């Protein structure tokens, strides 16, 4: 078993489905999730307590798609949080965020009241992404999205938010990490590679993470579940890296093709210019236009325009 644990690392990988539920789930992770959310919101709101809710949402009609959240909870001020770990990029990921949030909001609309009562609690979708959201912006690791008035640039509605963490884009070294959010990001990326709690982490906040995260503390059932979850994550990483490599190779090939074509165009332009210079010299020397056309390869009309 020790050999197996060494291969798995000392601590459970936070970016696996098993790890998310171990560190942040109802069995042992409530305190961690409170600390994580408070670090993420950084004073925007303060969460003192959480209640876990069922993660499955079944549509009212048979044709409605069933959705299952990784984690779903409510805070003591009745704010609602969907927490999702996403391993691979997918088409319409933004649509999925809106769809998940909308399905939850739909269930929160008060029913059975007279009049037009539509008051809703705050709803937040929190995505932890193991990929870059925008290929053109590879340095941005945090997205804080709200509904805004486009003309004024002001927040229009304050009860719906999307907070996204793009782990591959987080590249801060230990000396650069100051905020609690940065500390959490560092752990998401490096937890499975650590052998002890780093000195720059506040043990009062992060101590429990390291206490419950040791692979050697897992029972046989949890160990099997973790190994399967870790395999799923590594398979997803392999797919993502292969896609990135293929995309890079296609980009290089396309760039080379463009460069070759540009070179050909420049060569053709240079040859045409040399033809015109030769034709002009021959005209000045008294050669007939038809003779020049036969020798140089330009039309008589082009030569007579000189």
């Amino acid at each position: 078993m020790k050999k197996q644990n060494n291969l798995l690392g000392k601590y459970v990988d936070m970016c696996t489905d098993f790890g998310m539920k171990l560190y942040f789930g109802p069995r042992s992770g409530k305190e961690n999730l409170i600390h994580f959310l408070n670090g993420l919101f950084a004073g925007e709101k303060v969460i003192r307590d959480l209640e876990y809710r069922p993660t499955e949402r079944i549509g009212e009609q048979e044709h409605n798609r069933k959705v299952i959240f990784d984690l779903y909870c409510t805070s003591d001020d009745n704010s609602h949080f969907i927490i999702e770990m996403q391993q691979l990029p997918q088409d319409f990921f933004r649509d999925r965020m809106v769809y998940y949030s909308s399905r939850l909001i739909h269930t929160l609309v008060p029913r059975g009241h007279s009049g037009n009562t539509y008051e809703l609690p705050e709803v937040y979708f929190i995505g932890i992404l193991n990929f870059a959201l925008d290929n053109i912006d590879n340095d941005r690791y945090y997205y804080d999205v709200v509904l805004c008035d486009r003309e004024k640039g002001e927040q229009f509605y304050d009860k719906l938010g999307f907070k996204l963490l793009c782990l591959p884009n987080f590249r801060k070294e230990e000396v650069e990490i100051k905020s609690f959010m940065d500390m959490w990001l560092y752990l998401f990326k490096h937890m499975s590679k650590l052998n002890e709690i780093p000195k720059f982490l506040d043990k009062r906040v992060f101590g429990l993470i390291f206490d419950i995260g040791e692979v050697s503390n897992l029972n046989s059932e949890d160990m099997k579940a973790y190994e399967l979850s870790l395999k799923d994550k590594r398979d997803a990483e392999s797919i993502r890296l292969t896609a990135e490599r293929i995309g890079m190779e296609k980009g290089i090939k396309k760039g080379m093709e463009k460069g070759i074509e540009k070179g050909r165009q420049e060569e053709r332009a240079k040859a045409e210019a040399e033809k015109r210079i030769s034709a002009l010299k021959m005209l000045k020397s008294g050669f007939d236009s038809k003779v020049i056309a036969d020798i140089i390869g330009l039309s008589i009309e082009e030569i007579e325009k000189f």
Side-chain angles (χ1 to χ4, degrees):
M1 182 65 72
K2 287 184 178 179
K3 184 178 180 181
Q4 184 183 37
N5 287 350
N6 288 337
L7 292 173
L8 295 176
K10 184 175 181 179
Y11 296 105
V12 170
D13 192 329
M14 294 181 74
C15 295
T16 59
D17 182 66
F18 179 88
M20 281 289 292
K21 291 177 173 59
L22 174 69
Y23 290 119
F24 300 113
R27 190 170 74 177
S28 56
K30 181 177 178 179
E31 184 179 337
N32 293 328
L33 186 54
I34 290 173
H35 285 316
F36 168 64
L37 292 174
N38 281 328
L40 184 64
F41 281 89
E44 178 185 341
K45 65 189 296 98
V46 177
I47 298 159
R48 296 178 179 83
D49 196 12
L50 289 174
E51 180 181 347
Y52 290 89
R53 299 296 181 96
T55 56
E56 185 173 305
R57 282 290 178 275
I58 301 175
E60 294 182 357
Q61 305 296 327
E62 288 186 6
H63 63 272
N64 291 144
R65 181 182 296 180
K66 179 175 70 174
V67 299
I68 301 176
F69 311 134
D70 287 344
L71 290 170
Y72 166 45
C73 57
T74 56
S75 63
D76 51 334
D77 67 349
N78 198 34
S79 296
H80 293 245
F81 304 91
I82 301 168
I83 299 102
E84 284 281 305
M85 166 63 71
Q86 185 74 21
Q87 297 291 351
L88 287 171
Q90 59 181 215
D91 293 337
F92 311 113
F93 177 70
R94 291 172 174 83
D95 300 65
R96 180 185 172 188
M97 293 191 306
V98 174
Y99 178 74
Y100 273 33
S101 303
S102 300
R103 283 291 297 273
L104 176 58
I105 290 170
H106 177 70
T107 65
L108 299 176
V109 176
R111 288 171 171 77
H113 295 282
S114 60
N116 295 320
T117 302
Y118 289 100
E119 184 178 4
L120 294 169
E122 296 177 36
V123 173
Y124 297 93
F125 180 100
I126 296 163
I128 303 160
L129 314 182
N130 242 335
F131 56 90
L133 188 62
D134 296 305
N135 291 329
I136 59 174
D137 194 358
N138 289 325
D139 292 322
R140 188 175 182 187
Y141 59 84
Y142 177 49
Y143 293 75
D144 188 5
V145 181
V146 296
L147 294 178
C148 283
D149 182 313
R150 181 176 291 177
E151 183 176 337
K152 292 186 176 181
E154 297 175 353
Q155 188 169 353
F156 178 76
Y157 181 69
D158 61 357
K159 292 184 178 181
L160 177 62
F162 303 89
K163 294 179 181 289
L164 307 175
L165 305 176
C166 299
L167 300 183
N169 291 352
F170 182 79
R171 305 181 185 92
K172 289 188 178 181
E173 301 293 335
E174 292 185 13
V175 294
E176 302 175 275
I177 295 173
K178 307 298 180 185
S179 69
F180 277 114
M181 188 179 80
D182 283 352
M183 293 177 188
W184 281 109
L185 281 160
Y186 184 88
L187 280 187
F188 274 112
K189 284 201 70 170
H190 302 290
M191 186 71 183
S192 63
K193 304 170 188 174
L194 297 175
N195 289 315
E196 60 183 8
I197 183 169
K199 293 181 180 179
F200 66 89
L201 294 181
D202 188 330
K203 291 185 179 180
R204 295 169 299 175
V205 174
F206 297 98
L208 181 59
I209 284 277
F210 288 84
D211 288 340
I212 68 176
E214 287 200 35
V215 172
S216 60
N217 291 335
L218 300 179
N219 59 39
S220 59
E221 184 178 349
D222 284 343
M223 180 68 77
K224 290 178 182 177
Y226 175 50
E227 288 176 336
L228 288 173
S229 187
L230 190 61
K231 180 181 182 300
D232 288 342
K233 185 211 171 188
R234 288 171 176 170
D235 287 346
E237 283 180 343
S238 178
I239 292 170
R240 177 175 58 82
L241 291 173
T242 299
E244 289 176 356
R245 176 180 57 78
I246 292 173
M248 187 178 297
E249 289 175 353
K250 285 183 177 178
I252 292 171
K253 183 179 179 182
K254 190 174 181 180
M256 290 176 66
E257 289 173 350
K258 284 184 176 180
I260 292 170
E261 180 58 29
K262 185 179 179 181
R264 288 172 178 166
Q265 291 174 359
E266 290 175 350
E267 286 296 323
R268 285 195 291 266
K270 182 179 179 182
E272 287 296 318
E274 289 175 350
K275 282 183 180 182
R276 293 175 181 278
I277 292 171
S278 297
L280 185 60
K281 288 180 179 178
M282 292 177 73
L283 272 176
K284 289 180 178 180
S285 299
F287 283 85
D288 182 74
S289 296
K290 187 176 184 309
V291 174
I292 298 173
D294 291 338
I295 295 173
I296 300 298
L298 296 174
S299 67
I300 295 174
E301 290 79 9
E302 287 179 290
I303 294 170
E304 291 178 345
K305 287 180 182 179
F306 294 156

